Amino acid sequence: MLLDVNNVSIGFADTKPMQMVVNNISFQVDQGEILGIVGESGSGKSMTALSIMGLHKDTARITSGEIRVEGNNLLSMSENQKRSYLGKEIAMVFQEPMTSLNPVMKIGDQVSEMLAIHTRLSRKEQKEKTLEALFEVGLNNPEELYNKYPHELSGGMRQRVMIAMAMICKPKILIADEPTTALDVSVQAQILALLKKMNKEHGVSIILISHDLGVIRTMCERTIVMSQGKIVEQGLVEDIFRNPKQEYTKKLIDAVPSIHKKMVEIETVVQSPSKVNGQVSKMLSVNGVNIYYYQNGRIRRGVKKQIVKQASFHINEGEVVGIVGESGSGKSTLAKAIAGLNMFYEGEITCTETRPQMVFQDPYSSLNQAKKVQWILEEPLKIKGGYTKQERRRLVKEKLSEVGLLEEIGNRYVYQLSGGQRQRVCIAAALMLHSKFVILDEAVSALDVTIQRQILNLLMELKDKHNLTYLFISHDMNVIHEICDRVIVMNEGKIVEQGDTGEVFRAPKDEYTKKLLAAIL
């Protein structure tokens, strides 16, 4: 047994009575094993991992239990003793590498810092080891990357750097906390394959934390299911997936959108597109559109960069049309042009809805954090004008109710809401002006599987109630398959394939589409 977590409880000391977030949990990790931990936000899975690493908040207290690595209890060690373990024997890879990496330090300096702390290698030897580590994680130009900053790398490259940094001291245990959540499906597959490679070639044990049950099933031999700070079920992955014993586990598994569950026509009930005089009415037409970015947003000669190339498609009223593709494919750039947020384009974009609305991936950063929800939802009505204060408050109350939120949520700030509540507020804001056309840009990708299910159900209910039309952008092919009538596939700024979702998924014509579908877990 390599790691033994025994009867550990964790609480926050800044609340009275103490708020317990982890309650008497026990599990073990063997040499060379990949153990999964799944559960919703607030289940205690990340707090457990942070406590193993000694990275929990100052206000967090481990009130009972032991965390033993090769028989040595980390909780009874001095700070100096812990340093010999943390980073060297146990390392961690986080969900968002952009916030985990130092933005003002070059990549080479950040990776080699681990060697400077834990070894006595010379500067020259540290650089050699760093270049080797970068190359081993699939970064084929390590000399060039060595002197770059994090913002100059793609999301997948940054995550590879984080893995190189974690593995450079050859740890015995690697904790990976949601390492692929923000990545496109093909990049996700590459990172998971890399973790498997590290496990096989170096014998490193991996604790993989994820809310994506497909990832857990693909990667892990055993898994732990957590809810409200407790382990509700644990065992072999296939046993739990085939025959879950706890209702909570069954709920998690049932909430997962999966092409493999139903590789047939989409079963979601979708309202028929609107017709006028027997003709299908178009909500949006995009014809021969080229979209550009300019340096600093200013039009200057010689700095124009084309992102989207000759895009043409249409969306009928009442349809849900999906756009899929990897990061950099141009799907979000296209969405912003349709929403009027990027005017640097050629070609024709015609929309019958005068005010298309947009719901973004991260509700926390897209909502005004200095204002309460009531103010956020009232603001579009104030700008439009023509509403009394009483009318605005009544409309906000109605819209909160429509998206499944209580009236009291209006008196809270964004930071006081859960991820699911924030996304519901974003959806309410998009509907305040009664727009019939909503663009959803990765609107569910950062949510836990059960919260994702709730939001998808809400979107379809609102669509049927108000006859809405959605442009749904996602890297999750399972979600696209479940809710979209038609799908558009983008690669390197071009539309490479489009058609009925069922047909495209069953018989893709383009090689890129086939690659995306092959990467689905």
Side-chain angles (χ1 to χ4, degrees):
M1 185 189 305
L2 183 59
L3 173 70
D4 183 15
V5 176
N6 185 29
N7 296 323
V8 168
S9 296
I10 307 168
F12 283 107
D14 57 348
T15 60
K16 292 185 179 180
M18 181 181 284
Q19 179 189 359
M20 301 306 295
V21 292
V22 174
N23 292 284
N24 201 37
I25 67 167
S26 297
F27 64 91
Q28 295 78 39
V29 180
D30 294 328
Q31 178 68 44
E33 182 182 21
I34 303 179
L35 175 73
I37 303 181
V38 297
E40 297 171 287
S41 292
S43 64
K45 57 188 189 295
S46 290
M47 180 57 68
T48 300
L50 291 170
S51 296
I52 294 171
M53 289 294 298
L55 296 175
H56 50 265
K57 293 181 179 179
D58 292 339
T59 54
R61 299 284 185 272
I62 299 177
T63 59
S64 66
E66 298 177 325
I67 300 175
R68 292 186 175 274
V69 179
E70 296 182 314
N72 300 303
N73 187 8
L74 294 175
L75 302 184
S76 62
M77 290 182 181
S78 66
E79 290 302 315
N80 285 334
Q81 288 174 318
K82 281 183 186 178
R83 287 193 191 99
S84 67
Y85 274 89
L86 304 177
K88 185 179 180 183
E89 303 293 335
I90 313 173
M92 191 163 180
V93 177
F94 298 91
Q95 176 176 347
E96 181 44 71
M98 192 61 190
T99 55
S100 304
L101 293 169
N102 189 328
V104 297
M105 278 183 71
K106 292 180 179 179
I107 294 300
D109 293 334
Q110 296 195 56
V111 178
S112 61
E113 187 177 34
M114 299 299 295
L115 296 172
I117 294 171
H118 295 291
T119 72
R120 295 183 179 180
L121 297 176
S122 66
R123 290 282 295 175
K124 182 181 178 182
E125 290 171 325
Q126 288 175 25
K127 182 173 182 179
E128 289 174 356
K129 289 282 187 184
T130 297
L131 294 174
E132 288 174 10
L134 292 172
F135 185 78
E136 188 179 12
V137 297
L139 296 167
N140 296 325
N141 50 347
E143 284 279 3
E144 180 184 341
L145 293 175
Y146 191 91
N147 292 309
K148 286 194 172 184
Y149 291 94
H151 73 271
E152 298 179 283
L153 277 59
S154 68
M157 292 170 73
R158 287 194 288 263
Q159 198 61 289
R160 288 175 187 270
V161 169
M162 286 294 297
I163 293 171
M165 190 185 305
M167 289 297 299
I168 198 165
C169 290
K170 301 294 186 287
K172 293 173 181 174
I173 300 170
L174 178 66
I175 301 173
D177 189 2
E178 301 279 9
T180 62
T181 297
L183 302 177
D184 294 325
V185 61
S186 55
V187 180
Q188 178 191 71
Q190 294 166 19
I191 296 300
L192 293 176
L194 176 58
L195 290 173
K196 276 272 194 186
K197 174 187 171 188
M198 295 296 168
N199 169 255
K200 296 283 186 191
E201 294 184 1
H202 299 288
V204 60
S205 299
I206 299 176
I207 299 174
L208 181 59
I209 299 169
S210 180
H211 65 253
D212 189 328
L213 274 72
V215 168
I216 294 295
R217 191 171 193 176
T218 301
M219 292 286 293
C220 303
E221 300 139 24
R222 289 191 304 120
T223 191
I224 292 167
V225 182
M226 292 190 69
S227 176
Q228 298 180 344
K230 297 178 181 178
I231 293 176
V232 296
E233 191 162 356
Q234 61 178 306
L236 295 174
V237 167
E238 286 307 314
D239 289 346
I240 286 178
F241 271 79
R242 288 191 182 127
N243 186 29
K245 294 180 175 61
Q246 298 297 319
E247 287 303 316
Y248 178 77
T249 312
K250 293 176 184 177
K251 183 180 81 166
L252 283 182
I253 294 171
D254 290 342
V256 179
S258 176
I259 294 170
H260 303 301
K261 284 182 185 175
K262 50 173 187 177
M263 199 55 185
V264 291
E265 288 293 339
I266 299 172
E267 296 175 2
T268 305
V269 177
V270 184
Q271 186 171 333
S272 300
S274 300
K275 292 185 179 181
V276 177
N277 298 325
Q279 298 293 318
V280 175
S281 301
K282 287 184 180 177
M283 174 63 74
L284 175 75
S285 292
V286 175
N287 294 310
V289 168
N290 299 307
I291 308 176
Y292 306 90
Y293 278 140
Y294 290 84
Q295 182 179 343
N296 299 323
R298 298 171 185 166
I299 302 176
R300 295 178 179 173
R301 190 183 300 274
V303 293
K304 183 167 73 171
K305 182 178 180 182
Q306 186 170 1
I307 306 298
V308 175
K309 304 160 188 175
Q310 287 295 311
S312 295
F313 65 94
H314 71 275
I315 301 177
N316 296 321
E317 289 184 12
E319 272 194 311
V320 182
V321 174
I323 301 183
V324 297
E326 295 171 289
S327 294
S329 63
K331 55 189 189 295
S332 290
T333 298
L334 181 57
K336 288 174 183 176
I338 293 167
L341 300 177
N342 183 356
M343 302 305 294
F344 300 142
Y345 70 86
E346 302 165 346
E348 184 182 20
I349 298 176
T350 305
C351 187
T352 58
E353 175 59 64
T354 56
R355 292 187 178 89
Q357 296 296 304
M358 200 158 178
V359 178
F360 298 92
Q361 176 175 351
D362 183 2
Y364 190 73
S365 60
S366 60
L367 294 171
N368 190 331
Q369 296 166 37
K371 300 293 184 179
K372 292 182 178 180
V373 169
Q374 179 74 35
W375 185 95
I376 292 170
L377 296 183
E378 272 194 66
E379 190 65 6
L381 301 174
K382 290 178 184 176
I383 293 171
K384 183 180 180 182
Y387 298 92
T388 65
K389 184 176 181 179
Q390 288 73 23
E391 286 173 331
R392 292 198 303 268
R393 289 191 172 277
R394 177 180 57 79
L395 287 170
V396 169
K397 180 181 177 180
E398 287 177 4
K399 204 57 66 177
L400 284 172
S401 177
E402 269 194 5
V403 298
L405 295 175
L406 298 174
E407 183 180 1
E408 65 187 42
I409 293 292
N411 294 318
R412 297 186 191 178
Y413 290 97
V414 176
Y415 72 87
Q416 295 175 307
L417 307 179
S418 69
Q421 288 175 326
R422 291 172 193 154
Q423 201 59 291
R424 288 173 186 267
V425 170
C426 286
I427 294 168
L431 299 179
M432 284 306 298
L433 295 178
H434 309 292
S435 175
K436 294 291 186 182
F437 183 41
V438 182
I439 302 167
L440 299 135
D441 190 0
E442 300 283 8
V444 298
S445 64
L447 302 176
D448 292 329
V449 62
T450 50
I451 306 301
Q452 181 187 82
R453 165 58 52 207
Q454 293 168 18
I455 297 299
L456 289 175
N457 289 343
L458 171 65
L459 289 170
M460 299 315 290
E461 288 169 10
L462 292 171
K463 174 190 173 298
D464 290 343
K465 181 177 181 180
H466 298 293
N467 191 27
L468 302 177
T469 304
Y470 292 147
L471 177 59
F472 196 94
I473 299 168
S474 180
H475 65 254
D476 191 327
M477 304 289 278
N478 289 304
V479 170
I480 290 289
H481 180 266
E482 176 158 325
I483 73 165
C484 296
D485 302 305
R486 292 187 294 115
V487 64
I488 295 165
V489 183
M490 292 191 70
N491 182 31
E492 297 181 346
K494 297 178 182 178
I495 294 175
V496 297
E497 187 164 357
Q498 59 179 306
D500 289 342
T501 304
E503 293 177 9
V504 171
F505 276 63
R506 274 196 305 273
K509 296 179 176 64
D510 190 84
E511 288 302 317
Y512 179 75
T513 310
K514 292 176 183 177
K515 186 184 88 166
L516 287 182
L517 290 171
I520 297 171
L521 299 175

